[in-house]
Amino acid sequence: MKKVTVKHLTNKFKLGIFWGESILKDKYITVKDISRPALELAGYDAYYPKKRIQVLGKTELTFLASLDRAVQKERFKNLLLESVPCIILTRGFKPTNDMLDLAAKSQIPILGTDRTTTDFIALSTDLLDRDLAPTKTIHGVLVDIYGVGVLIKGQSGIGKSETALELIKRGHRLVSDDAVELRGIRERAIVGAAPKVLEHLLEIRGVGLINVVSLFGTGCVRSQKTVDLVINLEHWDEKKSYERLGLDRHFFTVLGVDIEMHTIPVAPGRNLAIIMEIAAMNHRAKKLGTNTPEDFTNNLNALIKGDEK
């Protein structure tokens, strides 16, 4: 299970520390969702999400302050379960002495931010989405072609990096060469990036490593990109039947997400860069509602039915 320390969150957003500075590095966040307790403060805690960060804003703290002091202490104490990573107060609110005493007894950090509750939840959710996302590193090249993230796969030496170089020369952008770090994020999407040691580097056999930024400029790279399409390169097999019309759909599954995949046979004389540009444009056209293979099939069927009549 991936986890993030409360100290990391504190440093990232420069949170104020009301109590628990010495234990921040020992408190872990394992769930990306954020809780804003409401029913729990009203006394109903049957479904309290105790593994989440608990955020208290103006509404929650004002309601809590309206209660009798003994009830306040009881309701706040019920939030301080052992598995709760931390309590965060927004909008510059400060904890009461009772809150601090209860937090110390329960060993739950209390932190604060001047941000609004909505802004802080949005920012922290985005951070945790990235840091807690399932990851996998695979062999391949990731390129941004016309805004479409294309992951190029294939056996070593088949020409993935050389194709990426040609695409860069044609104005497209490199994300990663040789190894691609993939992360599963919201809405079943996969985002790819380069490992730190390989950022902006491209390996060309016979030449060696080149720095794409140094040779082509910063406009030819990007730090990450959603993987929209997978191109699998393989040596041309005369005995194999390759897709002609594009009616059959194939997918590459990674981290539980199915991504559309085309298998492109490699043979002398084939311009792989142009083929990938066309594949990317065709993929984007399909997203906009234009499906040429289906249109062709429908038109052909209509023509055949017309002849039969």
Side-chain angles (χ1 to χ4, degrees), residues 141-152 164 167-168 170-176 192 219-229 276-277 280 284:
V141 177
L142 181 57
V143 187
D144 180 346
I145 306 175
Y146 297 128
V148 177
V150 179
L151 175 64
I152 308 171
L167 287 166
I168 292 167
R170 296 172 69 89
H172 305 293
R173 295 191 286 178
L174 174 72
V175 180
S176 183
C220 290
V221 296
R222 63 177 302 164
S223 58
Q224 62 179 26
K225 184 73 180 79
T226 301
V227 181
D228 304 299
L229 181 66
M276 289 187 190
E277 284 182 332
R284 194 166 64 175

Side-chain angles (χ1 to χ4, degrees), residues 22-39:
S22 62
I23 63 172
L24 296 183
K25 65 180 183 302
D26 301 318
K27 288 289 183 178
Y28 295 100
I29 304 164
T30 58
V31 178
K32 65 182 180 180
D33 298 309
I34 308 295
S35 174
R36 190 174 179 179
L39 289 175

Side-chain angles (χ1 to χ4, degrees), residues 9 35-36 47 63 73 110 177 195 223 232:
L9 185 77
S35 174
R36 190 174 179 179
Y47 298 100
F63 172 75
K73 292 176 65 174
I110 298 186
D177 176 52
S223 58
N232 180 46

Side-chain angles (χ1 to χ4, degrees), residues 225-266:
K225 184 73 180 79
T226 301
V227 181
D228 304 299
L229 181 66
V230 176
I231 299 292
N232 180 46
L233 300 180
E234 65 174 43
H235 293 292
W236 192 299
D237 184 352
E238 294 182 357
K239 298 179 182 179
K240 184 175 179 178
S241 177
Y242 293 100
E243 187 66 37
R244 299 287 299 273
L245 296 179
L247 291 172
D248 295 333
R249 299 185 67 192
H250 303 278
F251 297 92
F252 173 69
T253 302
V254 60
L255 298 174
V257 178
D258 294 332
I259 305 172
E260 186 172 349
M261 180 177 72
H262 300 311
T263 295
I264 306 297
V266 178

Side-chain angles (χ1 to χ4, degrees), residues 199-201 210-221:
E199 277 187 339
H200 309 156
L201 299 180
I210 64 170
N211 189 304
V212 173
V213 171
S214 298
L215 296 183
F216 300 99
T218 56
C220 290
V221 296

